[in-house]
Amino acid sequence: MTSTATAVVVGGGLAGTTAALALADAGLRVTLVEGRPRLGGLVFSFRRDSAAGELSVDNGQHVYLRCCTAYGQLLDRLGAAHLVPLQDRMDVPVLDAGGTSRTKSGERMRLGRLRRTALPVPLHLAASLARYPHLSPAERAGVVRATLALKGLDPADPVLDGVDFGSWLRRHGQSSRAVEALWDLVGIATLNARAGDASMGLAAKVFKTGLLSAPGAADIGWSRVPLGDVHDALARTALEKAGVRIALRTRAASVDRIEGRWQVAVENGPHGGERLTADTVVLAVPQRETHALLPAGALADRDRLLDIGTAPILNLHVVYDRKVLRRPFFAAVGSPVQWVFDRTDASGLTRTPGNERCQYLAVSQSAAQEEIDQPVAKLRARYLPELERLLPAARGARIIDFFVTRERTATFAPAPGVGRLRPAARTQAPGLLLAGAWTATGWPATMESAVRSGTAAAREALNELGFPQGQLPQEAA
């Protein structure tokens, strides 16, 4: 299907890539503008020369769940599903740094497992919760009662948006230990906020969709290759095959409506630039950049976009001279360490001559406001001993490399009240749409939210252009 209609998508992250593919698949002539020299937005990789050899490093550990159906569809569209597989069944090892158990070989850190069975919801987690050693029997019973109360909530209820999750948990009898060892264990990683700082509406969305919608909804997936291989290289190939013109190192300077069509002024060098004319424009950039590009009257009270805060994520990268972790990942409680992933194979370390026995771990620290700007030496002094506490095999291991990546504005802040600030895809200006994980998708700032926003923007654009329903991108379940 071809059309004379044209589109410009500003932003080459997951939202922009999704929108551009959907519009091109419907037959539009699409130009994708991205200021960086690559696609993927905040989901990217880079090369690092280290004492262990050249590494392919992800800027941060990204995971998704089986319930993230829109992101799964994007992986299928890129031909990347086999590179970012899901667990057969949810299984999360959880180490308690504050508790030990005695074994034949001595004392070991107490290990708990959050894993599901094939039983229907909510029985799929019953056996795991009954044996979860990090909570007392009374706390486990309290979790069941809170879960049943959560099951009856509507995440889209605007009243819930104004309530913080921590207060709701306290009202439902959750101890501080239960919050740390269960609710925040999941919530910090998915919301990028602790319970007391998170909108109850978004928390309800996370827990109802991930744990209470289907037995396999919370099965975890993550990339077994560098993220750039998927969301830059394969995305670029898919876009080019779809006929999308990709303009990297090109920044949108202004967006104006002139004589019934859109004019996007772009800059692609110190002396270069052009004006792109289009029937529809999708702004798939962060909220502050969107605010700067929106023409007057396009959004009622557009200054509310500036009230959507941001939240950081800190990632610590450690290369050991030996294998110190047998599992692909684990989470921790009673420790500043949150989640640890083995990135050895994905980084290419195992293919570096002389370093085949080394191991590369990535420590992902969400809601990292207090540590995001701390110097590397201070972070090293704090976290390496913690990893030794959690991983006995790391004691005495030589540190070949230690470095830090910081995303100071990794996500929008899911604070109470943020729901009323998030705009829909359609603006008041015909043919001008918004996309991004921060828009009104109903999801927190995840890859799933970004992809859903791109699909929503494309659907609205095609609707406004009068395309038949059969040509509109399908909504994810």
Side-chain angles (χ1 to χ4, degrees), residues 9 22 34 61 66 121 130 144 191 205 227 269 309 316 318 333 356 417 443:
V9 177
E34 169 54 55
Q61 181 63 51
R66 193 179 298 277
V121 171
V144 171
L191 295 164
K205 178 65 177 178
L227 288 168
L316 315 169
V318 190
V333 296
E356 296 86 351
W443 288 69

Side-chain angles (χ1 to χ4, degrees), residues 113-126:
R113 305 287 284 274
L114 292 173
R115 48 187 169 183
R116 73 168 179 91
T117 66
L119 291 173
V121 171
L123 298 178
H124 66 310
L125 295 174

